[in-house]
Amino acid sequence: MIDTLNLRHVRLAAENIQPFIHHTPVLRCNGLDHLAGLQLFFKCENFQKVGAFKFRGACNAVCSLPKEKLRQGVATHSSGNHAAALALAAHLQDLPAYVVMPENSPQVKKNAVVGYGAHITYCQATLQAREQGLKNVVEETGAVFIHPFDHLDVIAGQATAALELLDEIGKTDVIMAPVGGGGLMSGTSIAAHGLFPSMRLIGVEPEGADDAMRSIHSGRVIPQTNPHTIADGLLTSLSELTFSILSRHLEDIYTVSEEEIVDAMRHVWERMKIIIEPSAAVAVAGAFKFGQRFRGKKVGVILSGGNVQLDRLPFGPQPKLEAASKE
């Protein structure tokens, strides 16, 4: 099955979604280069529509389906970014969208899904509840299920972020990206190795949600159990599809602590003056923590999104500035 997905499919996906997506910028920052000891090239998917790379995959999946299959709309389960992405992709094609979301999803992401016109069904925050809720919705509506990452057209769409990065700056020594369900890293792997087979590919995930690292190291999918991390976009387990792709392509998966995620997020906000969410900061934290392994190398980092609950920022209070003396 995975052998059917290659660089040709990624370029086709790029053509499919080109009228709808933002071609996001690649940014540099001397201060962050110095901190990491690397030449960092940030692919800013926080500037993508819906504020995340997820729109690429959702848009390609919707564009790739025959019109007759879409008459009843599309459906998915998601804690946020894929939900908003599919809602917008459906809206642009004048289709209904049905989303099953955990009740504890960030309010900013709930608001986005509603804003794009999707119908939301809330469920308990368990995979079983999400899947059962989705099954009920599909049976009631006849909508087509678009999985957040276990879907070839979705993965091909996500791959276009790395394709744009490498078409713009040429070969990098390394690409780092966050890993949750593995759709972004799978697509990144296919695009990168399709263009440059010798490129080193590193996934990064939170220590409190390290199922992908354990899966790759053990040679089998180890389901996520009781994840604990601020990176709410990285709570899902790999699928057999994404596990198979990552097993073939990744050099390794690194893990970072909650403190390292927050510090990386803060550094990007303060030094680059752009907003990224914790899930995106995971890859940045990996570059900082393990930069000595790639000292001086050219490293691409996929900033996966920028959807943040602004009234729940993880940064601690700053010390008060002393008033300047008038003497």
Side-chain angles (χ1 to χ4, degrees):
M1 181 178 176
I2 61 172
D3 291 332
T4 64
L5 194 59
N6 55 41
L7 185 60
R8 181 177 66 83
H9 296 94
V10 177
R11 292 207 180 278
L12 179 60
E15 293 178 10
N16 285 341
I17 66 179
Q18 189 276 330
F20 307 106
I21 65 163
H22 293 318
H23 186 112
T24 55
V26 178
L27 298 183
R28 303 290 315 283
C29 177
N30 288 336
L32 298 187
D33 281 3
H34 178 73
L35 284 173
L38 305 170
Q39 301 174 58
L40 295 170
F41 296 79
F42 296 99
K43 179 61 173 172
C44 295
E45 287 298 288
N46 51 320
F47 296 147
Q48 188 53 260
K49 290 183 179 179
V50 312
F53 76 94
K54 291 281 190 178
F55 183 63
R56 294 175 180 271
C59 188
N60 188 52
V62 171
C63 289
S64 299
L65 282 169
K67 294 293 184 184
E68 58 271 18
K69 283 194 173 184
L70 291 171
R71 290 174 182 167
Q72 306 306 318
V74 291
T76 197
H77 61 76
S78 168
S79 62
N81 285 342
H82 178 67
L86 188 64
L88 177 58
H91 174 74
L92 292 174
Q93 300 294 332
D94 198 26
L95 299 169
Y98 305 92
V99 177
V100 176
M101 295 187 75
E103 296 171 336
N104 65 348
S105 299
Q107 189 61 46
V108 65
K109 296 184 178 180
K110 294 177 182 177
N111 294 345
V113 175
V114 171
Y116 292 126
H119 307 274
I120 298 180
T121 299
Y122 292 109
C123 68
Q124 293 182 343
T126 66
L127 180 60
Q128 181 180 5
R130 285 165 59 151
E131 291 178 342
Q132 184 59 51
L134 177 72
K135 180 181 178 182
N136 294 340
V137 167
V138 169
E139 288 178 351
E140 292 171 6
T141 64
V144 177
F145 173 37
I146 305 294
H147 195 281
F149 53 87
D150 191 32
H151 192 294
L152 290 171
D153 290 326
V154 169
I155 293 173
Q158 317 304 28
T160 62
L163 181 68
E164 286 181 6
L165 170 67
L166 297 173
D167 280 348
E168 180 171 340
I169 69 171
K171 183 182 179 181
T172 62
D173 297 293
V174 185
I175 291 185
M176 291 186 175
V179 179
L184 174 62
M185 194 72 242
S186 292
T188 297
S189 299
I190 290 166
H193 278 172
L195 290 167
F196 305 107
S198 64
M199 187 177 296
R200 302 170 70 179
L201 299 172
I202 305 293
V204 191
E205 66 180 349
E207 290 177 354
D210 65 348
D211 64 297
M213 184 271 289
R214 291 184 288 117
S215 296
I216 295 299
H217 289 180
S218 68
R220 63 183 178 87
V221 175
I222 297 177
Q224 187 76 268
T225 56
N226 194 29
H228 180 74
T229 178
I230 190 175
D232 63 279
L234 306 180
L235 300 178
T236 51
S237 303
L238 299 179
S239 68
E240 291 292 343
L241 173 59
T242 56
F243 171 76
S244 297
I245 296 172
L246 298 184
S247 295
R248 291 198 306 165
H249 290 281
L250 289 196
E251 177 177 314
D252 205 350
I253 295 182
Y254 299 157
T255 61
V256 292
S257 70
E258 295 301 288
E259 293 78 11
E260 289 162 341
I261 295 169
V262 173
D263 285 348
M265 183 175 168
R266 183 169 204 147
H267 280 308
V268 170
W269 283 45
E270 290 181 344
R271 301 295 182 93
M272 295 183 70
K273 317 304 180 188
I274 64 173
I275 292 175
I276 63 169
E277 62 187 78
S279 297
V282 167
V284 183
F288 289 162
K289 183 175 183 178
F290 300 98
Q292 71 277 6
R293 301 183 182 182
F294 313 105
R295 183 66 60 184
K297 298 294 186 180
K298 188 176 179 181
V299 177
V301 178
I302 310 291
L303 296 180
S304 55
N307 294 311
V308 181
Q309 189 89 9
L310 292 178
D311 58 354
R312 295 185 182 180
L313 293 179
F315 311 131
Q318 291 294 287
K320 294 182 178 179
L321 295 176
E322 296 293 335
S325 172
K326 296 181 180 180
E327 297 181 359

